[in-house]
Amino acid sequence: MTTGSGKINVLLIGGGGREHALAEAISRSPRLGTLYVTHPSNPGLAKLGTPVDVPVSARELYRLGQFCDRKDIGLVVIGPEAPLAEGYADVLGKRADGTVRPVFGPGKRGAMLEADKAFAKQMMRAASVPTGDGRVFKDYDRAVEYYSTREEPMVVKAAGLAKGKGVIVPETMQEGLDAIKRMMKQLEFGDAGKTIVVEERLQGTEVSVLALVDGRNILVLPPCQDHKRLGEGDTGPNTGGMGAFCPADTVDDATMRVIETEVFVPMVDAMRREEIEFRGVLYAGIMLTPGGPKVLEFNTRFGDPECQPLMARLESDAVELFLATAEGRLDEVDVRFSEQTAVCVVLASQGYPASPKTGDAITGIDKAEQIDGVRVFHAGTKIENGEIVTAGGRVLGVTAVGPDFATARQLAYRACERISFRGMHYRRDIGSTKPAAAR
Ligand code: AMP
Ligand code: GLY
C-alpha cells in the first residue's frame, strides 16, 4: 500500500532543470525507496536517480507501464507538459493487476488546460474565471477580418503547445496580422498554431501562482515571479523563462485569497463538472491588472524555472506531499516552506532562444555550489568525454536561498560569476520588476 510509512519507489519523468529540482526534493524524503529517472543524460538526474531501462516514448508507453509494475513504482511524478498532454498519467496510473498507481500529474483531459488554449478559454468562461476577452479562430480569413476591426493590437496565441514561444504580443496592428499569418498560414508553430486565440492585451505585473490540486482540494503555494523575456528590462523575445524568485511580494495576501477563490476554486469545480480528475499542479499565469487579477494562461505542471526556487524552499517531505496529491488526500497534509527567499538565475547558451549552440565545456559549477545556500540545477547539460558540456538553450539554473531577497539575489549572482562556458549569457536583473523599495 502507498499510505503509511513504508518506502516508495518513485519514477520521475522529464529531464530539465525543473526535474533536477524535483529529484533533489524527492531525494531528501525519508520515504524514498529508489528514484528512477527517464533522462539520465542530465548529469544532475544521473547523480540522484537510477535510469529506466526501457524506451520512453508515447508510442511505447506500455513498456514504461511494464517497467513500473516490474520495479514496484508507488508514485509517478510527471514534470513536463508534453508527456501530460500525451496521456502518460492515464496509462501509468493503472497497474497490470487493475489497481490504481498514484500519479502526480493530470491525465490527458486535465492537461488540455495547458495544451489547448481554446479549451482553457472555454473552461474559464464557463467557470466565470477572470481573464482577458478573447476569441478563438480556426479560420484564417475570419481571424484577419476580426483583427482588422480592432482599435488596438491584440495578443495572438497559438492554441496548442509551442514550448513557451506561441504567444505574440504585438506593438502594431501589422505585427498582429503578421503573427496570425505566421501561425495559421505558414504554420510556424506546426499544428499548434492551426487554431489561435486572439485576446485583449492586459496591463500590469505578472505573477505565477501554483497550486497543488488533488481532484478536489486545493493547496496554493507561495507566489513566484518569472522573467519570460530574453533581455534585461523585459525586452526581446519570449523564452521558457530566464529566472524566477519566490516568494514574489508583488502580490499581497488579500490578492492571493482573491486568486484562490476566483480562479482556483471555480476552475477545480468546473473540472469536476466535466469529470476531469485533476491531480497535480495547476499553474495560473496571472496579470495583476487595475481591475483585479486576470488569468493569462494555465499550465498543468510546475513552472520551469519557478519550480527551482519553490523546491529550494520546500521543507515538507516531497514524496508525502506528491503522494497525498496523487491519492486525493491533500486535506491530510500540511505544506511547509522555509521563511527564506529563493532566486534562480538561468544561464543560457549562445544563440538561445532562436538557435542555441551546444557542446561547450562548462566550468565552475563546484565552485558556485561552495557558496552557502547555492544550488546549481542542470537543465541543458550533458557529460561528454568526462566533461560537463552545454546541451540545450537553458543550461543551468543557479539558485540561491537567503534570509531576504537582496541576500538571495546577491548570492545567486556571485555564484553565476564562478561559472563559465563559451557564449554564456544571463539576465542581470532577475527580480528587478519588484518595486524599488523592496529590492
Ligand atoms: P502565456 O504563455 O500565455 O503565459 O504567454 C506568454 C507571455 O505573453 C505571458 O507571460 C505574458 O507576458 C504575455 N501575455 C500573454 N497574454 C497576454 C495578454 N492578454 N496581455 C498581455 N500580455 C500577455
Ligand atoms: N516559466 C514558465 C513556464 O514554465 O511556463
Side-chain angles (χ1 to χ4, degrees), residues 46-239:
K47 221 182 233 178
L48 297 170
T50 305
V52 305
D53 58 6
V54 293
V56 179
S57 78
R59 268 205 211 146
E60 291 187 279
L61 252 187
Y62 69 96
R63 297 188 65 173
L64 201 54
Q66 288 169 342
F67 175 88
C68 290
D69 285 334
R70 200 156 23 95
K71 299 293 184 186
D72 192 23
I73 299 292
L75 173 67
V76 178
V77 177
I78 305 178
E81 59 276 23
L84 291 167
E86 286 165 343
Y88 276 47
D90 304 291
V91 174
L92 302 180
K94 289 185 205 111
R95 293 194 173 92
D97 64 8
T99 57
V100 170
R101 175 183 294 109
V103 178
F104 182 87
K108 198 172 193 160
R109 291 185 65 223
M112 275 172 66
L113 273 189
E114 171 167 5
D116 182 352
K117 286 185 196 291
F119 172 76
K121 258 300 187 230
Q122 182 194 320
M123 289 286 281
M124 281 188 262
R125 210 171 287 148
S128 302
V129 166
T131 181
D133 283 336
R135 292 205 28 195
V136 176
F137 293 96
K138 288 182 192 300
D139 181 84
Y140 173 74
D141 293 330
R142 288 220 174 137
V144 168
E145 190 187 338
Y146 172 77
Y147 203 92
S148 308
T149 62
R150 303 287 99 189
E151 280 173 7
E152 303 275 328
M154 293 179 84
V155 178
V156 181
K157 302 185 176 189
L161 291 180
K163 300 204 168 98
K165 294 173 197 158
V167 173
I168 294 174
V169 184
E171 294 303 331
T172 63
M173 293 299 284
Q174 192 53 49
E175 242 182 84
L177 289 166
D178 288 346
I180 296 175
K181 192 181 221 167
R182 280 163 54 198
M183 285 185 196
M184 299 187 89
K185 282 274 179 212
Q186 294 159 0
L187 299 184
E188 203 171 287
F189 302 103
D191 286 350
K194 280 188 172 165
T195 300
I196 62 164
V197 177
V198 175
E199 188 175 274
E200 93 180 276
R201 180 167 180 174
L202 299 170
Q203 305 287 348
T205 303
E206 263 185 79
V207 61
S208 308
V209 184
L210 285 68
L212 299 179
V213 176
D214 72 355
R216 173 190 300 264
N217 300 294
I218 298 162
L219 211 162
V220 179
L221 304 178
C224 303
Q225 195 161 327
D226 174 23
H227 297 260
K228 286 214 172 92
R229 299 293 193 100
L230 180 69
E232 278 149 33
D234 288 331
T235 53
N238 260 325
T239 69

Side-chain angles (χ1 to χ4, degrees), residues 162-417:
K163 300 204 168 98
K165 294 173 197 158
V167 173
I168 294 174
V169 184
E171 294 303 331
T172 63
M173 293 299 284
Q174 192 53 49
E175 242 182 84
L177 289 166
D178 288 346
I180 296 175
K181 192 181 221 167
R182 280 163 54 198
M183 285 185 196
M184 299 187 89
K185 282 274 179 212
Q186 294 159 0
L187 299 184
E188 203 171 287
F189 302 103
D191 286 350
K194 280 188 172 165
T195 300
I196 62 164
V197 177
V198 175
E199 188 175 274
E200 93 180 276
R201 180 167 180 174
L202 299 170
Q203 305 287 348
T205 303
E206 263 185 79
V207 61
S208 308
V209 184
L210 285 68
L212 299 179
V213 176
D214 72 355
R216 173 190 300 264
N217 300 294
I218 298 162
L219 211 162
V220 179
L221 304 178
C224 303
Q225 195 161 327
D226 174 23
H227 297 260
K228 286 214 172 92
R229 299 293 193 100
L230 180 69
E232 278 149 33
D234 288 331
T235 53
N238 260 325
T239 69
M242 295 299 290
F245 60 96
C246 172
D249 56 9
T250 34
V251 49
D252 57 27
D253 291 348
T255 309
M256 283 297 280
R257 279 193 294 276
V258 171
I259 293 170
E260 175 158 11
T261 53
E262 292 189 5
V263 175
F264 286 102
V265 171
M267 272 321 278
V268 171
D269 283 348
M271 282 195 279
R272 284 164 62 81
R273 280 197 297 277
E274 294 287 321
E275 294 179 2
I276 296 173
E277 188 76 28
F278 191 104
R279 295 182 172 186
V281 179
L282 184 59
Y283 162 146
I286 302 268
M287 188 75 95
L288 301 170
T289 76
K294 292 192 177 175
V295 176
L296 295 171
E297 63 159 350
F298 281 114
N299 294 321
T300 59
R301 49 164 177 88
F302 279 111
D304 190 345
E306 290 93 328
C307 189
Q308 288 81 321
L310 268 172
M311 289 303 117
R313 291 184 57 219
L314 182 70
E315 284 182 346
S316 308
D317 180 325
V319 170
E320 289 277 4
L321 192 62
F322 298 160
L323 195 60
T325 308
E327 291 183 332
R329 297 185 288 105
L330 264 183
D331 52 341
E332 291 173 15
V333 297
D334 220 8
V335 61
R336 287 182 321 280
F337 286 91
S338 75
E339 291 296 313
Q340 291 171 306
T341 295
V343 174
C344 171
V345 179
V346 170
L347 304 183
S349 59
Q350 191 176 331
Y352 177 74
S355 48
K357 191 172 166 295
T358 58
D360 289 309
I362 305 169
T363 58
I365 296 175
D366 293 350
K367 279 201 192 120
E369 290 193 322
Q370 277 163 10
I371 299 174
D372 221 19
V374 170
R375 290 287 307 112
V376 179
F377 295 115
H378 288 258
T381 72
K382 67 175 181 185
I383 296 196
E384 213 170 63
N385 304 324
E387 246 184 353
I388 298 180
V389 301
T390 60
R394 292 192 293 171
V395 177
L396 295 166
V398 179
T399 308
V401 291
D404 52 50
F405 178 73
T407 313
R409 186 167 188 236
Q410 210 176 27
L411 291 174
Y413 280 111
R414 199 183 303 156
C416 290
E417 281 165 20

